[in-house]
Amino acid sequence: MLFYTVAKPIVQLALRVFFRRLEIRHHERLEAPGPMLIVSNHPNTLMDPLVVAANRRTPIAFLAKSTFFKNPISRAIFLSGNCIPIYRRQDAESGDAGVTPEELAARNEAAFGQCYDYFDKGGSIQIFPEGTSVSERRLRPLKTGAARISLGAEARHDFKLGLTILPIGINYFDPSRFRSDVFVNIGKPIVVADYAAAYAADPEAAADQLTEEIRRRLEYRLIITRDAAEDELVLQIERTFGEHLIPDDEETLYDNFQLSRALLEAVPYFEQHDPARLLQVREKLSNYLLDLDRLRLTDEALESSKGRGQRWARATVSGLKLVLGFPLYVYGLVNNYIPYILPSMIAKRATKDLEFVAPIMLVTGILTFGIGYALQIGLVHHFTQNWLWTLLYALSLAPAGFYALSYWNNLRARLLRLRALKLFRTKRPVMEDLLRQRQAIIKLLGEARAAFLAATGTPEPRKAG
């Protein structure tokens, strides 16, 4: 239980730092008492259980593949994190060549027994029924283990245990990037006792039926694309013109989720009913993004202000903030740059798999900031021999780091706008053509949106309540 006594507060803080926004819909369902089996998609390896466990007050046990327990160090870490090893056939084939199918089954029966004992005490366990972690907006075929464990636990108590299965969709908007967003979409719980009759008639069929229900409820809580081409198109629209398609002034991650779902319904609709319009959107959007990249601009840099006077007023205020805030930016940069940059450097060298980048960055970031801050605070106290100055310095480190990051993002946005203004003076025909492309795409997307809503009878997206 080391995670919950020592590491959980650190992980909670690290997640708040790592993600710009972490939004949980129906959080009260996650806080429901056990016994409970939490099932989720698995796109981001270690981040997935951390995101869930850090946001539930009571402890969760985890089912993890047995290969994590082979190394003595990782075994100690996973056992202290309340993990139960599960033995997969492919792991035995690649690792323990001498393990027979009977021995593998016996090991898993023992793991199931641990789960049953945990449920008997009213505990909660998390499992990832896809079995593997892949960084893509898909839901891979589900294993039946989650269903078999829950049905077996209930069968031991004549289906009077009260076990529920809680489906959770974890939606990362850019899983390998620091300060990105994650939307945790929690579904309605499944009452396992509802499958008592099916289990009595045929346990295997009942497990298949329950697995299918888990899959259905997870899919409803996830953004799922059919292939890489569709994923790329939807991402391009979301990231470039999403704010023009969301009617609310202040968007939530649930609004973004609804937009993604609507786009994923619209693409196959236009493939069938108006492929020419879809092709036009693809071509115009692709050309526009290529031109932006060639000119080293972003779409945000072309956003026009409401009126010339307002534009200059905002530019003046922004410029003053940048000038006055520069000393604090330098202070934050000097004191945070090394622990900030090391995690990304280490992650890039350590792996080429996207699903491992964020966990490596998170873990190494905890170490680099923890060790770095401790050394810096120690040096300040050594040279000042004053506890008040040392305390003030220690309290300033994290806020100054956040300010430096915010300052840099604002400065970069300002520099891009200045570059756009310069290009308007030096390459006016090119920039005017770029603006015409932009307006044409916005108009085309608006018309497609209206046509889709009218044809399908889909209501206007509403603000999340």
Side-chain angles (χ1 to χ4, degrees):
M1 297 294 288
L2 179 64
F3 173 81
Y4 287 96
T5 56
V6 177
K8 184 178 179 181
I10 299 173
V11 171
Q12 288 175 321
L13 178 61
L15 289 174
R16 288 184 179 275
V17 172
F18 190 87
F19 292 111
R20 186 183 61 153
R21 286 188 293 177
L22 195 162
E23 184 178 312
I24 301 178
R25 183 166 170 79
H26 297 302
H27 188 275
E28 73 282 356
R29 294 173 180 169
L30 183 59
E31 298 295 354
M36 179 192 294
L37 181 66
I38 299 170
V39 294
S40 174
N41 59 314
H42 201 18
N44 211 0
T45 56
L46 183 63
M47 299 296 280
D48 304 329
L50 292 180
V51 163
V52 175
N55 287 284
R56 177 178 162 88
R57 286 193 295 269
T58 55
I60 300 173
F62 306 94
L63 285 177
K65 60 183 181 180
S66 60
T67 52
F68 287 139
F69 297 80
K70 291 185 178 297
N71 182 288
I73 297 175
S74 63
R75 177 182 177 84
I77 293 172
F78 274 86
L79 288 177
S80 69
N82 219 17
C83 294
I84 300 170
I86 196 77
Y87 298 87
R88 307 181 306 173
R89 185 176 292 106
Q90 61 265 39
D91 296 332
E93 290 171 353
S94 62
D96 297 331
V99 176
T100 65
E102 292 76 16
E103 290 172 324
L104 190 69
R107 291 181 182 183
N108 276 330
E109 282 300 320
F112 282 20
Q114 286 183 264
C115 295
Y116 299 155
D117 293 341
Y118 206 80
F119 288 140
D120 288 348
K121 298 173 184 176
S124 298
I125 298 174
Q126 183 169 14
I127 186 173
F128 300 97
E130 289 173 287
T132 56
S133 179
V134 179
S135 182
E136 58 184 16
R137 300 207 289 187
R138 315 269 199 283
L139 186 65
R140 299 167 74 81
L142 304 187
K143 313 295 184 185
T144 59
R148 290 189 291 117
I149 289 171
S150 56
L151 289 168
E154 277 288 0
R156 294 210 315 177
H157 296 270
D158 296 324
F159 285 85
K160 296 177 182 178
L161 178 62
L163 177 63
T164 58
I165 298 176
L166 187 68
I168 298 181
I170 306 177
N171 299 274
Y172 297 94
F173 289 84
D174 197 342
S176 62
R177 186 170 64 86
F178 177 66
R179 300 300 289 169
S180 60
D181 301 329
V182 56
F183 176 54
V184 181
N185 200 3
I186 303 176
K188 292 182 179 180
I190 303 168
V191 179
V192 180
D194 291 345
Y195 292 81
Y199 185 84
D202 187 339
E204 291 297 324
D208 292 338
Q209 184 182 347
L210 182 51
T211 301
E212 176 60 22
E213 180 62 15
I214 293 170
R215 182 199 62 78
R216 188 185 68 80
R217 296 205 189 194
L218 283 177
E219 284 187 344
Y220 185 72
R221 299 287 164 177
L222 291 169
I223 298 167
I224 297 176
T225 57
R226 293 173 297 173
D227 50 45
E230 182 180 74
D231 198 18
E232 182 182 14
L233 174 63
V234 171
L235 279 174
Q236 287 174 342
I237 295 174
E238 289 171 354
R239 293 176 179 175
T240 312
F241 296 104
E243 63 181 35
H244 297 280
L245 299 173
I246 296 176
D248 299 293
D249 292 333
E250 294 186 11
E251 65 189 63
T252 66
L253 295 184
Y254 180 60
D255 292 324
N256 293 335
F257 174 82
Q258 286 185 306
L259 171 62
S260 300
R261 296 276 298 196
L263 288 171
L264 291 170
E265 291 175 8
V267 170
Y269 169 83
F270 284 111
E271 284 178 348
Q272 182 177 356
H273 297 95
D274 196 349
R277 191 198 296 264
L278 182 61
L279 179 62
Q280 191 178 15
V281 169
R282 286 184 186 273
E283 290 180 346
K284 286 186 177 294
L285 184 58
S286 177
N287 291 335
Y288 175 67
L289 293 175
L290 284 173
D291 286 344
L292 282 177
D293 186 61
R294 180 172 52 83
L295 294 168
R296 290 181 288 119
L297 290 173
T298 63
D299 180 73
E300 292 82 359
L302 301 181
E303 284 283 359
S304 60
S305 301
K306 298 178 180 178
R308 185 179 180 86
Q310 289 187 19
R311 184 183 68 187
W312 284 108
R314 291 173 60 181
T316 302
V317 171
S318 177
L320 282 173
K321 286 182 178 179
L322 290 174
V323 171
L324 295 175
F326 184 73
L328 184 55
Y329 163 70
V330 173
Y331 176 79
L333 181 67
V334 169
N335 284 285
N336 289 271
Y337 183 74
I338 292 178
Y340 168 80
I341 201 65
L342 279 177
S344 60
M345 293 174 61
I346 292 170
K348 288 177 182 177
R349 289 179 177 273
T351 183
K352 295 186 183 298
D353 298 321
L354 285 179
E355 57 268 21
F356 287 96
V357 171
I360 292 173
M361 288 177 65
L362 182 76
V363 173
T364 55
I366 291 173
L367 294 174
T368 56
F369 276 99
I371 296 171
Y373 279 5
L375 290 174
Q376 290 167 226
I377 293 168
L379 284 172
V380 167
H381 184 67
H382 174 75
F383 286 110
T384 64
Q385 293 297 310
N386 186 305
W387 282 108
L388 178 60
W389 281 112
T390 303
L391 177 63
L392 291 174
Y393 175 75
L395 293 175
S396 73
L397 287 174
F402 277 113
Y403 179 83
L405 185 61
S406 174
Y407 182 98
W408 170 247
N409 289 334
N410 291 333
L411 176 62
R412 184 169 54 183
R414 183 64 185 156
L415 291 174
L416 285 170
R417 284 191 172 88
L418 290 174
R419 175 171 174 77
L421 290 173
K422 178 184 177 182
L423 289 172
F424 267 110
R425 292 195 300 271
T426 59
K427 298 182 178 181
R428 191 171 189 84
V430 172
M431 293 300 289
E432 288 178 344
D433 178 65
L434 195 63
L435 285 179
R436 282 194 292 269
Q437 289 185 60
R438 185 176 191 273
Q439 291 303 316
I441 294 170
I442 292 173
K443 181 183 178 186
L444 192 59
L445 289 173
E447 292 172 347
R449 178 177 179 273
F452 173 72
L453 293 177
T456 60
T458 306
E460 287 279 353
R462 298 175 61 186
K463 187 73 175 175

